[in-house]
Coordinates of all heavy atoms in Angstrom, one line a residue:
M159 N -8.2 -15.1 41.6 CA -7.7 -14.5 40.4 C -8.1 -13.0 40.3 O -9.2 -12.7 40.6 CB -8.3 -15.2 39.2 CG -7.4 -16.2 38.4 SD -5.7 -15.6 38.1 CE -5.3 -16.7 36.8
D160 N -7.1 -12.2 39.9 CA -7.3 -10.8 39.7 C -8.0 -10.5 38.4 O -7.4 -10.8 37.3 CB -6.0 -10.1 39.8 CG -6.2 -8.6 39.8 OD1 -7.3 -8.1 39.6 OD2 -5.2 -7.9 39.9
A161 N -9.2 -10.0 38.4 CA -10.0 -9.8 37.2 C -9.3 -8.7 36.3 O -9.2 -8.9 35.0 CB -11.4 -9.3 37.5
G162 N -8.7 -7.7 36.9 CA -8.0 -6.7 36.1 C -6.8 -7.3 35.3 O -6.6 -6.9 34.2
F163 N -6.1 -8.2 36.0 CA -5.0 -8.9 35.3 C -5.4 -9.7 34.1 O -4.9 -9.6 33.0 CB -4.3 -9.8 36.3 CG -3.1 -10.5 35.7 CD1 -1.9 -9.8 35.4 CD2 -3.1 -11.9 35.5 CE1 -0.8 -10.4 34.9 CE2 -2.0 -12.5 34.9 CZ -0.9 -11.8 34.6
N164 N -6.5 -10.4 34.3 CA -7.1 -11.2 33.1 C -7.5 -10.3 32.0 O -7.3 -10.6 30.8 CB -8.3 -12.0 33.6 CG -8.0 -13.3 34.2 OD1 -6.8 -13.7 34.1 ND2 -8.9 -13.9 34.9
E165 N -8.1 -9.1 32.3 CA -8.5 -8.2 31.3 C -7.3 -7.7 30.5 O -7.3 -7.5 29.3 CB -9.2 -7.0 32.0 CG -10.3 -6.4 31.2 CD -11.1 -5.5 32.1 OE1 -12.0 -5.9 32.8 OE2 -10.8 -4.3 32.0
Q166 N -6.2 -7.4 31.3 CA -5.0 -6.9 30.6 C -4.4 -8.0 29.6 O -4.0 -7.6 28.5 CB -3.9 -6.7 31.7 CG -3.9 -5.2 32.2 CD -2.8 -5.0 33.2 OE1 -1.9 -5.9 33.4 NE2 -2.8 -3.9 33.9
I167 N -4.4 -9.2 30.1 CA -4.0 -10.3 29.2 C -4.8 -10.4 28.0 O -4.3 -10.4 26.8 CB -4.0 -11.7 30.0 CG1 -3.1 -11.7 31.2 CG2 -3.7 -12.8 29.0 CD1 -1.6 -11.9 30.8
A168 N -6.2 -10.3 28.2 CA -7.1 -10.4 27.0 C -6.8 -9.3 26.0 O -6.8 -9.5 24.8 CB -8.5 -10.4 27.5
R169 N -6.6 -8.1 26.5 CA -6.4 -6.9 25.7 C -5.1 -7.1 24.9 O -5.0 -6.9 23.7 CB -6.4 -5.6 26.5 CG -6.6 -4.4 25.6 CD -6.5 -3.1 26.4 NE -7.4 -3.2 27.5 CZ -7.1 -2.7 28.8 NH1 -5.9 -2.3 29.0 NH2 -8.0 -2.8 29.7
Y170 N -4.1 -7.6 25.6 CA -2.8 -7.8 25.0 C -2.8 -8.8 23.9 O -2.3 -8.6 22.8 CB -1.7 -8.2 26.1 CG -0.4 -8.6 25.5 CD1 0.5 -7.5 25.1 CD2 0.0 -9.9 25.3 CE1 1.7 -7.9 24.5 CE2 1.2 -10.2 24.7 CZ 2.1 -9.2 24.4 OH 3.3 -9.5 23.8
V171 N -3.5 -9.9 24.2 CA -3.6 -11.0 23.2 C -4.4 -10.5 21.9 O -4.0 -10.7 20.8 CB -4.4 -12.2 23.8 CG1 -4.8 -13.2 22.7 CG2 -3.5 -12.9 24.8
R172 N -5.5 -9.7 22.2 CA -6.3 -9.2 21.1 C -5.5 -8.3 20.2 O -5.5 -8.3 19.0 CB -7.5 -8.5 21.6 CG -8.5 -8.1 20.6 CD -9.8 -7.6 21.1 NE -10.7 -7.3 20.1 CZ -10.7 -6.1 19.5 NH1 -9.9 -5.1 19.9 NH2 -11.6 -5.8 18.5
E173 N -4.7 -7.4 20.9 CA -3.9 -6.4 20.1 C -2.8 -7.1 19.3 O -2.5 -6.7 18.2 CB -3.3 -5.4 21.1 CG -4.3 -4.2 21.3 CD -3.8 -3.3 22.5 OE1 -2.7 -3.5 22.9 OE2 -4.7 -2.5 23.0
S174 N -2.2 -8.1 19.9 CA -1.1 -8.8 19.2 C -1.7 -9.5 18.0 O -1.1 -9.5 16.9 CB -0.4 -9.8 20.1 OG -0.1 -9.3 21.3
L175 N -2.8 -10.1 18.2 CA -3.5 -10.9 17.1 C -3.9 -9.9 16.0 O -3.6 -10.2 14.8 CB -4.8 -11.6 17.7 CG -5.5 -12.6 16.8 CD1 -4.5 -13.7 16.5 CD2 -6.8 -13.0 17.4
L176 N -4.4 -8.8 16.3 CA -4.8 -7.8 15.3 C -3.6 -7.4 14.5 O -3.6 -7.3 13.3 CB -5.4 -6.6 16.0 CG -6.9 -6.6 16.3 CD1 -7.4 -5.4 17.1 CD2 -7.7 -6.7 15.0
S177 N -2.5 -7.1 15.2 CA -1.3 -6.6 14.4 C -0.7 -7.7 13.6 O -0.2 -7.4 12.5 CB -0.3 -5.9 15.4 OG 0.2 -6.9 16.3
W178 N -0.8 -8.9 14.1 CA -0.2 -10.0 13.4 C -1.1 -10.3 12.1 O -0.5 -10.4 11.0 CB -0.2 -11.3 14.2 CG 0.2 -12.5 13.5 CD1 1.5 -12.8 13.1 CD2 -0.6 -13.6 13.0 NE1 1.5 -14.0 12.4 CE2 0.2 -14.5 12.3 CE3 -2.0 -13.8 13.0 CZ2 -0.3 -15.6 11.7 CZ3 -2.5 -15.0 12.4 CH2 -1.6 -15.9 11.8
L179 N -2.4 -10.2 12.3 CA -3.3 -10.4 11.1 C -3.1 -9.3 10.1 O -3.1 -9.5 8.9 CB -4.7 -10.5 11.6 CG -5.1 -11.8 12.2 CD1 -6.4 -11.7 12.9 CD2 -5.2 -12.9 11.1
A180 N -3.0 -8.0 10.6 CA -2.9 -6.9 9.7 C -1.6 -6.9 9.0 O -1.5 -6.4 7.9 CB -3.0 -5.6 10.6
S181 N -0.5 -7.5 9.5 CA 0.7 -7.6 8.9 C 0.7 -8.5 7.6 O 1.5 -8.4 6.7 CB 1.8 -8.1 9.8 OG 1.6 -9.5 10.0
D182 N -0.4 -9.3 7.6 CA -0.5 -10.2 6.4 C -1.4 -9.6 5.3 O -1.5 -10.1 4.2 CB -1.1 -11.5 6.9 CG -1.1 -12.5 5.7 OD1 -0.1 -12.6 5.0 OD2 -2.1 -13.3 5.6
G183 N -2.0 -8.4 5.6 CA -2.9 -7.8 4.7 C -2.5 -6.3 4.4 O -1.6 -5.8 5.1
T184 N -3.1 -5.7 3.4 CA -2.7 -4.3 3.1 C -3.7 -3.4 3.9 O -4.9 -3.6 3.8 CB -2.9 -4.1 1.6 OG1 -2.1 -5.0 0.9 CG2 -2.4 -2.7 1.3
T185 N -3.1 -2.6 4.7 CA -3.9 -1.7 5.5 C -4.1 -0.3 4.9 O -3.3 0.1 4.0 CB -3.3 -1.5 6.9 OG1 -1.9 -1.1 6.7 CG2 -3.3 -2.8 7.7
S186 N -5.1 0.4 5.4 CA -5.4 1.7 4.8 C -4.6 2.8 5.5 O -4.1 2.6 6.6 CB -6.9 2.0 5.0 OG -7.2 3.3 4.7
E187 N -4.4 3.9 4.8 CA -3.7 5.0 5.4 C -4.6 5.9 6.2 O -4.2 6.8 6.9 CB -3.0 5.9 4.3 CG -1.8 5.2 3.7 CD -1.3 5.9 2.4 OE1 -1.8 7.1 2.2 OE2 -0.5 5.4 1.7
Y188 N -5.9 5.6 6.0 CA -6.9 6.4 6.8 C -7.1 5.9 8.2 O -7.3 4.7 8.4 CB -8.3 6.4 6.0 CG -8.3 7.2 4.7 CD1 -9.4 7.1 3.9 CD2 -7.2 8.0 4.4 CE1 -9.4 7.9 2.7 CE2 -7.2 8.7 3.2 CZ -8.4 8.6 2.3 OH -8.4 9.3 1.2
T189 N -7.1 6.8 9.1 CA -7.3 6.4 10.5 C -8.7 5.8 10.8 O -8.8 4.9 11.6 CB -7.0 7.5 11.5 OG1 -7.8 8.7 11.1 CG2 -5.6 7.9 11.6
F190 N -9.7 6.2 10.0 CA -11.0 5.7 10.3 C -11.1 4.2 9.8 O -12.2 3.6 10.0 CB -12.1 6.6 9.7 CG -12.1 6.6 8.2 CD1 -12.8 5.7 7.4 CD2 -11.5 7.7 7.5 CE1 -12.8 5.7 6.0 CE2 -11.5 7.8 6.1 CZ -12.2 6.8 5.4
R191 N -10.1 3.7 9.1 CA -10.1 2.3 8.7 C -9.1 1.5 9.5 O -8.7 0.4 9.1 CB -9.8 2.2 7.2 CG -10.9 2.7 6.3 CD -11.0 1.9 5.1 NE -12.1 2.4 4.2 CZ -11.9 3.4 3.3 NH1 -10.7 3.8 3.1 NH2 -12.9 3.8 2.6
I192 N -8.8 2.0 10.7 CA -8.0 1.2 11.6 C -8.6 -0.2 11.9 O -9.8 -0.2 12.1 CB -7.7 2.0 12.9 CG1 -6.6 3.0 12.7 CG2 -7.4 1.0 14.0 CD1 -6.3 3.8 13.9
G193 N -7.8 -1.2 11.8 CA -8.4 -2.6 12.0 C -8.9 -3.2 10.8 O -9.6 -4.2 10.8
M194 N -8.8 -2.5 9.6 CA -9.3 -3.0 8.4 C -8.2 -3.3 7.4 O -7.2 -2.6 7.4 CB -10.3 -2.1 7.8 CG -11.5 -1.8 8.7 SD -12.7 -0.8 7.8 CE -13.8 -2.0 7.2
V195 N -8.4 -4.3 6.6 CA -7.4 -4.6 5.5 C -8.2 -4.8 4.2 O -9.4 -4.9 4.2 CB -6.6 -6.0 5.8 CG1 -5.7 -5.8 7.0 CG2 -7.6 -7.1 6.0
L196 N -7.4 -4.8 3.1 CA -8.0 -5.0 1.8 C -8.7 -6.4 1.7 O -8.2 -7.4 2.2 CB -7.0 -4.9 0.7 CG -6.5 -3.5 0.3 CD1 -5.4 -3.7 -0.8 CD2 -7.6 -2.7 -0.3
T197 N -9.9 -6.5 1.1 CA -10.5 -7.8 0.8 C -9.6 -8.6 -0.1 O -8.8 -7.9 -0.8 CB -11.9 -7.6 0.2 OG1 -11.7 -7.0 -1.1 CG2 -12.8 -6.7 1.0
P198 N -9.7 -9.9 -0.1 CA -8.9 -10.7 -1.0 C -9.0 -10.2 -2.5 O -8.0 -10.2 -3.2 CB -9.4 -12.1 -0.9 CG -10.0 -12.1 0.5 CD -10.6 -10.7 0.7
E199 N -10.2 -9.8 -2.9 CA -10.4 -9.4 -4.3 C -9.7 -8.1 -4.5 O -9.0 -7.9 -5.5 CB -11.9 -9.2 -4.5 CG -12.3 -9.1 -6.0 CD -13.8 -8.8 -6.1 OE1 -14.5 -9.1 -5.2 OE2 -14.1 -8.2 -7.2
A200 N -9.8 -7.1 -3.6 CA -9.2 -5.8 -3.7 C -7.7 -6.0 -3.7 O -6.9 -5.3 -4.3 CB -9.7 -4.9 -2.6
K201 N -7.2 -6.9 -2.9 CA -5.8 -7.2 -2.7 C -5.2 -7.7 -4.1 O -4.1 -7.3 -4.5 CB -5.5 -8.2 -1.6 CG -4.1 -8.1 -1.1 CD -3.9 -9.0 0.1 CE -2.5 -9.2 0.4 NZ -2.2 -10.4 1.2
A202 N -6.0 -8.6 -4.7 CA -5.6 -9.1 -6.0 C -5.5 -8.0 -7.1 O -4.6 -7.9 -7.9 CB -6.5 -10.2 -6.5
N203 N -6.5 -7.1 -7.0 CA -6.5 -5.9 -7.9 C -5.3 -5.0 -7.7 O -4.7 -4.6 -8.6 CB -7.8 -5.1 -7.7 CG -9.0 -5.7 -8.4 OD1 -8.8 -6.5 -9.3 ND2 -10.2 -5.4 -7.9
R204 N -5.0 -4.9 -6.4 CA -3.8 -4.0 -6.0 C -2.5 -4.6 -6.6 O -1.7 -3.9 -7.1 CB -3.8 -3.9 -4.5 CG -2.5 -3.2 -4.0 CD -2.7 -1.7 -3.9 NE -3.8 -1.2 -3.1 CZ -3.6 -0.5 -1.9 NH1 -2.4 -0.1 -1.5 NH2 -4.6 -0.1 -1.3
E205 N -2.4 -5.9 -6.4 CA -1.2 -6.6 -6.9 C -1.1 -6.5 -8.4 O 0.0 -6.3 -8.9 CB -1.2 -8.1 -6.4 CG -0.7 -8.2 -5.0 CD -1.1 -9.5 -4.4 OE1 -1.5 -10.4 -5.1 OE2 -0.9 -9.6 -3.1
E206 N -2.2 -6.6 -9.1 CA -2.2 -6.5 -10.5 C -1.8 -5.1 -10.9 O -1.0 -4.9 -11.9 CB -3.6 -6.8 -11.1 CG -3.7 -6.9 -12.6 CD -5.1 -6.9 -13.1 OE1 -5.7 -8.0 -13.0 OE2 -5.7 -5.9 -13.5
F207 N -2.3 -4.1 -10.2 CA -2.0 -2.7 -10.5 C -0.5 -2.4 -10.3 O 0.1 -1.8 -11.1 CB -2.8 -1.8 -9.6 CG -2.5 -0.3 -9.7 CD1 -2.9 0.4 -10.8 CD2 -1.7 0.3 -8.7 CE1 -2.5 1.7 -10.9 CE2 -1.3 1.6 -8.9 CZ -1.8 2.3 -9.9
M208 N 0.0 -3.0 -9.2 CA 1.5 -2.8 -8.9 C 2.3 -3.4 -10.0 O 3.3 -2.9 -10.4 CB 1.8 -3.4 -7.6 CG 1.2 -2.6 -6.4 SD 1.7 -0.8 -6.4 CE 0.8 -0.2 -5.0
R209 N 1.8 -4.6 -10.5 CA 2.6 -5.3 -11.5 C 2.5 -4.6 -12.9 O 3.5 -4.4 -13.5 CB 2.0 -6.7 -11.6 CG 3.0 -7.8 -12.0 CD 2.5 -9.2 -11.9 NE 1.1 -9.4 -12.2 CZ 0.1 -9.8 -11.4 NH1 0.5 -10.2 -10.2 NH2 -1.1 -9.9 -11.8
E210 N 1.3 -4.2 -13.2 CA 1.1 -3.6 -14.6 C 1.5 -2.2 -14.7 O 1.9 -1.7 -15.7 CB -0.3 -3.8 -15.0 CG -0.6 -5.3 -15.4 CD -2.0 -5.5 -15.9 OE1 -2.6 -4.5 -16.4 OE2 -2.5 -6.6 -15.9
Y211 N 1.3 -1.4 -13.6 CA 1.6 0.0 -13.7 C 2.7 0.4 -12.8 O 3.0 1.6 -12.6 CB 0.3 0.8 -13.4 CG -0.8 0.5 -14.4 CD1 -1.8 -0.4 -14.2 CD2 -0.7 1.2 -15.6 CE1 -2.7 -0.7 -15.2 CE2 -1.7 1.0 -16.6 CZ -2.7 0.1 -16.4 OH -3.6 -0.2 -17.3
D212 N 3.3 -0.6 -12.1 CA 4.5 -0.2 -11.2 C 4.0 0.8 -10.2 O 4.8 1.7 -9.8 CB 5.6 0.3 -12.1 CG 6.9 0.2 -11.3 OD1 7.0 -0.6 -10.3 OD2 7.9 0.8 -11.7
G213 N 2.8 0.7 -9.7 CA 2.3 1.6 -8.7 C 2.0 3.0 -9.1 O 1.8 3.9 -8.3
G214 N 2.0 3.2 -10.4 CA 1.8 4.6 -10.9 C 1.6 4.6 -12.4 O 0.7 4.1 -12.9
N215 N 2.6 5.2 -13.0 CA 2.6 5.3 -14.5 C 1.4 6.0 -15.0 O 0.8 5.6 -16.0 CB 2.8 3.9 -15.1 CG 4.2 3.6 -15.4 OD1 5.1 4.4 -15.6 ND2 4.5 2.3 -15.3
C216 N 1.0 7.1 -14.4 CA -0.1 7.9 -14.9 C 0.2 8.5 -16.2 O 1.3 9.0 -16.4 CB -0.4 9.0 -13.8 SG -1.6 10.2 -14.4
S217 N -0.7 8.4 -17.1 CA -0.5 9.0 -18.5 C -1.7 9.9 -18.8 O -2.1 10.1 -19.9 CB -0.3 8.0 -19.5 OG -1.5 7.1 -19.6
C218 N -2.2 10.6 -17.7 CA -3.3 11.5 -17.9 C -2.9 12.7 -18.8 O -3.8 13.3 -19.4 CB -3.8 12.0 -16.6 SG -4.8 10.8 -15.7
H219 N -1.6 13.0 -18.9 CA -1.2 14.1 -19.7 C -1.4 13.8 -21.2 O -1.4 14.7 -22.0 CB 0.3 14.5 -19.5 CG 1.2 13.3 -19.6 ND1 1.3 12.3 -18.7 CD2 2.1 13.1 -20.6 CE1 2.2 11.4 -19.1 NE2 2.7 11.9 -20.3
L220 N -1.6 12.5 -21.5 CA -1.8 12.1 -22.9 C -3.4 11.9 -23.1 O -3.9 12.4 -24.1 CB -1.1 10.7 -23.2 CG 0.4 10.8 -23.1 CD1 1.0 9.4 -23.3 CD2 1.0 11.8 -24.1
S221 N -4.0 11.2 -22.2 CA -5.4 10.9 -22.4 C -6.1 10.7 -21.0 O -6.2 9.6 -20.6 CB -5.7 9.7 -23.3 OG -5.1 8.6 -22.7
P222 N -6.5 11.8 -20.4 CA -7.2 11.7 -19.1 C -8.6 11.2 -19.2 O -9.3 11.6 -20.1 CB -7.1 13.1 -18.5 CG -7.1 14.0 -19.7 CD -6.4 13.2 -20.8
P223 N -9.1 10.5 -18.2 CA -8.3 9.8 -17.2 C -7.7 8.5 -17.8 O -8.3 7.8 -18.5 CB -9.4 9.4 -16.1 CG -10.7 9.3 -16.9 CD -10.6 10.2 -18.1
C224 N -6.5 8.3 -17.4 CA -5.7 7.1 -18.0 C -6.1 5.8 -17.3 O -6.8 5.8 -16.3 CB -4.2 7.4 -17.9 SG -3.6 7.3 -16.2
F225 N -5.6 4.7 -17.9 CA -5.9 3.4 -17.4 C -5.3 3.2 -16.0 O -5.9 2.4 -15.2 CB -5.4 2.3 -18.3 CG -6.2 2.2 -19.6 CD1 -5.7 2.5 -20.8 CD2 -7.6 1.9 -19.5 CE1 -6.4 2.4 -22.0 CE2 -8.3 1.8 -20.7 CZ -7.7 2.1 -21.9
S226 N -4.2 3.8 -15.7 CA -3.6 3.7 -14.4 C -4.6 4.3 -13.3 O -4.8 3.7 -12.3 CB -2.3 4.4 -14.3 OG -1.8 4.5 -13.0
C227 N -5.1 5.5 -13.6 CA -5.9 6.2 -12.6 C -7.3 5.6 -12.4 O -7.9 5.7 -11.4 CB -6.1 7.7 -13.0 SG -4.6 8.6 -12.8
T228 N -7.8 4.9 -13.5 CA -9.1 4.3 -13.4 C -9.0 2.8 -13.0 O -10.1 2.2 -12.8 CB -9.8 4.4 -14.7 OG1 -9.0 3.9 -15.7 CG2 -10.1 5.9 -15.0
H229 N -7.8 2.3 -12.8 CA -7.7 0.9 -12.4 C -8.3 0.6 -11.1 O -8.0 1.4 -10.1 CB -6.2 0.5 -12.4 CG -6.0 -1.0 -12.4 ND1 -6.1 -1.7 -11.3 CD2 -5.6 -1.8 -13.4 CE1 -5.8 -3.0 -11.6 NE2 -5.5 -3.1 -12.8
P230 N -9.1 -0.5 -10.9 CA -9.7 -0.7 -9.6 C -8.7 -1.0 -8.5 O -9.0 -1.0 -7.3 CB -10.6 -2.0 -9.9 CG -10.1 -2.6 -11.1 CD -9.5 -1.4 -11.9
G231 N -7.4 -1.4 -8.9 CA -6.4 -1.7 -7.9 C -5.6 -0.4 -7.5 O -4.7 -0.5 -6.7
N232 N -5.9 0.7 -8.1 CA -5.2 1.9 -7.8 C -5.4 2.3 -6.3 O -6.6 2.4 -5.9 CB -5.6 3.1 -8.7 CG -4.8 4.3 -8.5 OD1 -4.5 4.7 -7.4 ND2 -4.4 4.9 -9.6
P233 N -4.4 2.4 -5.5 CA -4.6 2.7 -4.1 C -5.5 3.8 -3.8 O -6.3 3.8 -2.9 CB -3.2 3.0 -3.6 CG -2.3 2.2 -4.5 CD -3.0 2.3 -5.8
R234 N -5.4 4.9 -4.7 CA -6.3 6.0 -4.5 C -7.8 5.7 -4.6 O -8.6 6.2 -3.9 CB -5.9 7.1 -5.5 CG -5.3 8.3 -4.8 CD -4.9 9.4 -5.8 NE -4.2 8.8 -6.9 CZ -4.0 9.4 -8.1 NH1 -4.5 10.6 -8.3 NH2 -3.3 8.9 -9.1
N235 N -8.1 4.8 -5.6 CA -9.5 4.4 -5.8 C -9.9 3.5 -4.7 O -11.1 3.6 -4.2 CB -9.6 3.7 -7.1 CG -9.3 4.6 -8.3 OD1 -9.4 5.8 -8.3 ND2 -8.8 4.0 -9.4
Q236 N -9.0 2.7 -4.2 CA -9.4 1.8 -3.1 C -9.6 2.5 -1.8 O -10.5 2.1 -1.1 CB -8.3 0.7 -3.0 CG -8.2 -0.2 -4.3 CD -7.3 -1.4 -4.1 OE1 -6.2 -1.3 -3.5 NE2 -7.7 -2.5 -4.6
E237 N -8.8 3.5 -1.6 CA -9.0 4.3 -0.3 C -10.4 4.9 -0.3 O -11.0 5.1 0.8 CB -7.9 5.4 -0.2 CG -6.5 4.9 0.1 CD -6.3 4.4 1.5 OE1 -7.3 4.3 2.3 OE2 -5.2 4.0 1.9
E238 N -10.9 5.2 -1.5 CA -12.2 5.9 -1.5 C -13.4 4.9 -1.6 O -14.6 5.3 -1.5 CB -12.3 6.8 -2.7 CG -11.6 8.2 -2.4 CD -11.3 9.0 -3.6 OE1 -11.9 8.8 -4.6 OE2 -10.3 9.8 -3.5
D239 N -13.1 3.6 -1.7 CA -14.2 2.6 -1.9 C -14.3 1.7 -0.7 O -13.4 0.9 -0.4 CB -13.9 1.8 -3.1 CG -15.0 0.9 -3.5 OD1 -16.0 0.8 -2.7 OD2 -14.9 0.2 -4.5
D240 N -15.4 1.9 0.1 CA -15.6 1.1 1.3 C -15.7 -0.4 1.0 O -15.3 -1.2 1.9 CB -16.8 1.6 2.0 CG -16.7 3.0 2.7 OD1 -15.5 3.3 3.0 OD2 -17.7 3.6 2.9
D241 N -16.1 -0.7 -0.2 CA -16.2 -2.2 -0.5 C -14.9 -2.9 -0.6 O -14.9 -4.1 -0.6 CB -17.0 -2.3 -1.8 CG -18.5 -1.9 -1.7 OD1 -18.9 -1.9 -0.5 OD2 -19.1 -1.7 -2.7
C242 N -13.8 -2.1 -0.7 CA -12.5 -2.8 -0.8 C -12.0 -3.2 0.6 O -10.9 -3.9 0.6 CB -11.5 -1.8 -1.4 SG -11.8 -1.5 -3.2
W243 N -12.6 -2.8 1.6 CA -12.1 -3.0 3.0 C -12.9 -3.9 3.8 O -14.2 -3.9 3.7 CB -11.9 -1.6 3.7 CG -11.0 -0.7 2.8 CD1 -11.4 0.2 1.9 CD2 -9.6 -0.7 2.8 NE1 -10.3 0.8 1.3 CE2 -9.2 0.2 1.8 CE3 -8.6 -1.4 3.5 CZ2 -7.9 0.5 1.6 CZ3 -7.3 -1.1 3.2 CH2 -6.9 -0.2 2.3
M244 N -12.3 -4.7 4.7 CA -13.0 -5.5 5.6 C -12.2 -5.5 7.0 O -11.0 -5.2 7.0 CB -13.0 -7.0 5.1 CG -11.7 -7.6 4.9 SD -11.7 -9.3 4.4 CE -10.0 -9.7 4.5
P245 N -13.0 -5.8 8.0 CA -12.3 -5.8 9.4 C -11.3 -7.0 9.4 O -11.6 -8.0 8.7 CB -13.5 -6.0 10.3 CG -14.7 -5.8 9.6 CD -14.4 -6.0 8.1
V246 N -10.2 -6.8 10.1 CA -9.2 -7.8 10.2 C -9.8 -9.1 10.8 O -9.6 -10.2 10.3 CB -8.0 -7.4 11.1 CG1 -7.1 -8.5 11.3 CG2 -7.3 -6.2 10.4
L247 N -10.6 -8.9 11.8 CA -11.3 -10.1 12.4 C -12.8 -10.1 11.9 O -13.6 -9.2 12.3 CB -11.3 -10.0 13.9 CG -9.8 -10.1 14.5 CD1 -9.9 -9.9 16.0 CD2 -9.2 -11.4 14.1
K248 N -13.1 -11.0 11.1 CA -14.5 -11.1 10.6 C -15.4 -11.5 11.7 O -15.1 -12.4 12.5 CB -14.6 -12.1 9.5 CG -14.2 -11.6 8.1 CD -14.3 -12.6 7.0 CE -13.2 -12.5 6.0 NZ -13.2 -13.6 5.2
G249 N -16.5 -10.7 11.8 CA -17.5 -11.0 12.9 C -17.1 -10.4 14.2 O -17.8 -10.6 15.2
G250 N -16.0 -9.7 14.3 CA -15.6 -9.1 15.5 C -15.0 -10.0 16.5 O -15.2 -11.2 16.4
A251 N -14.2 -9.5 17.4 CA -13.6 -10.4 18.5 C -13.7 -9.6 19.8 O -13.9 -8.5 19.9 CB -12.2 -10.7 18.1
Ligands
ZN273 ZN1 -3.7 9.2 -14.8

């Protein structure tokens, strides 16, 4: 058996698995969070935010900071919070 060939297969399988898993989760726009998705809790917050604020609806011009900007599911807040993110493969692969 050619070891290099096996290695290629292993890498291909791992990459396919990663992208398949990532497609089921919300990924970050930051490159340093490659391979990470929102935790289930953060994902629920994000969905609630999208539902209640339609992904925005900032009203800081009325009373800053508004409920939209301070919502834990606001993507901007989540991008800045490391606790919202987890590796796609728990425990590494
Ligand atoms: Zn606002």
